[in-house]
Amino acid sequence: MTDSVTPNGCWWDQHVDFFSDEALWEQESRKTLMDFFLKFAKSNVHKRVLDVGCGTGISTKRLNQMGFQAVGLDVSPKMVDYARTNSLEVFLSDCNPIPFHDESFNFVFCCTVLEWVQNPAALVSEMIRVTRSGGRIVIACLGPRNLPFDEAYNRLLGEQSNYNMLMPVELHRMLESLGLKIKSIKGVRNQGVSEEMYDKMDWITKSFCSNLWIIGCEK
């Protein structure tokens, strides 16, 4: 398989240093996501996982270390190059379409990617296509109190924004409308909200008070 042309990937190239920091995956949000994935996948190691929007490949590497056979895709040429220096199987692609055959993977892993694409539903449809029947998809999106929402405000001023402001409640609706079965959800609490208050919230309110919102689905 060869890399596909990704003209929009250069915007992400400038963020290689930030996303190559291993400490990002030791912090609460991404650590919680990895723990969620391992549990949701039922420790079904040695199975194939597609890491959509893998960036510099830290998540891909960690999935491999957990015992899965992980393959990564990303739109940024520099991030893909960085991942390959660590001998990871990562390809350059805008995922339109995902460059794999139908039902190629047991699992799909996608961390904070859908918020940054023009057609999230099309990308999820591609994830579904490459997932085997009965396979599982884990998708995480940012909550509304994260910094990208400050950038997205500029769209109200007539300026271009790379952030589409996807909300967790919209993500739920979209996944179900595309035929996925939501099996498990988990939020990472924003520190500005007390744990006691957070625990009493219904899931919709909780999603608005989370730094990261994680959804586990079954095809």
Side-chain angles (χ1 to χ4, degrees), residues 2-195:
T2 58
D3 290 331
S4 60
V5 178
T6 55
N8 297 325
C10 295
W11 184 84
W12 287 100
D13 285 350
Q14 62 187 308
H15 301 291
V16 171
D17 289 343
F18 177 80
F19 285 106
S20 60
D21 185 1
E22 292 270 357
L24 280 174
W25 291 87
E26 295 296 339
Q27 296 172 6
E28 183 178 11
S29 291
R30 286 175 170 78
K31 186 177 185 303
T32 299
L33 172 59
M34 297 304 288
D35 292 342
F36 178 97
F37 181 84
L38 183 61
K39 181 179 180 180
F40 189 67
K42 300 179 179 178
S43 301
N44 202 345
V45 295
H46 308 304
K47 300 296 185 180
R48 284 169 59 80
V49 180
L50 180 63
D51 186 0
V52 176
C54 67
T56 58
I58 296 175
S59 52
T60 313
K61 180 178 71 173
R62 295 199 170 204
L63 288 166
N64 284 331
Q65 290 170 342
M66 290 160 60
F68 297 96
Q69 298 174 13
V71 177
L73 296 175
D74 202 85
V75 72
S76 165
K78 287 189 177 180
M79 290 198 190
V80 168
D81 287 343
Y82 184 96
R84 287 173 174 171
T85 63
N86 291 314
S87 301
L88 296 170
E89 188 179 0
V90 173
F91 299 95
L92 184 67
S93 175
D94 62 4
C95 296
N96 184 29
I98 288 176
F100 288 98
H101 296 301
D102 296 357
E103 301 193 354
S104 294
F105 295 91
N106 304 94
F107 307 105
V108 173
F109 177 91
C110 182
C111 175
T112 63
V113 173
L114 294 178
E115 308 94 305
W116 300 96
V117 300
Q118 290 185 349
N119 192 337
L123 178 51
V124 174
S125 294
E126 278 295 291
M127 294 183 200
I128 295 171
R129 179 183 64 79
V130 299
T131 303
R132 295 175 184 172
S133 180
R136 295 194 159 194
I137 299 173
V138 171
I139 297 174
C141 73
L142 295 171
R145 301 178 72 174
N146 285 275
L147 286 176
F149 277 84
D150 291 337
E151 177 191 333
Y153 175 81
N154 293 330
R155 82 198 191 288
L156 302 179
L157 307 176
E159 299 176 14
Q160 183 176 357
S161 173
N162 291 294
Y163 194 70
N164 65 34
M165 292 194 69
L166 176 70
M167 303 295 289
V169 290
E170 295 175 316
L171 180 57
H172 276 250
R173 179 179 177 180
M174 179 175 64
L175 297 177
E176 291 180 329
S177 71
L178 292 172
L180 289 172
K181 303 171 185 176
I182 295 178
K183 294 293 188 178
S184 183
I185 58 175
K186 186 174 184 62
V188 179
R189 177 177 59 89
N190 185 284
Q191 294 302 308
V193 180
S194 72
E195 187 172 354

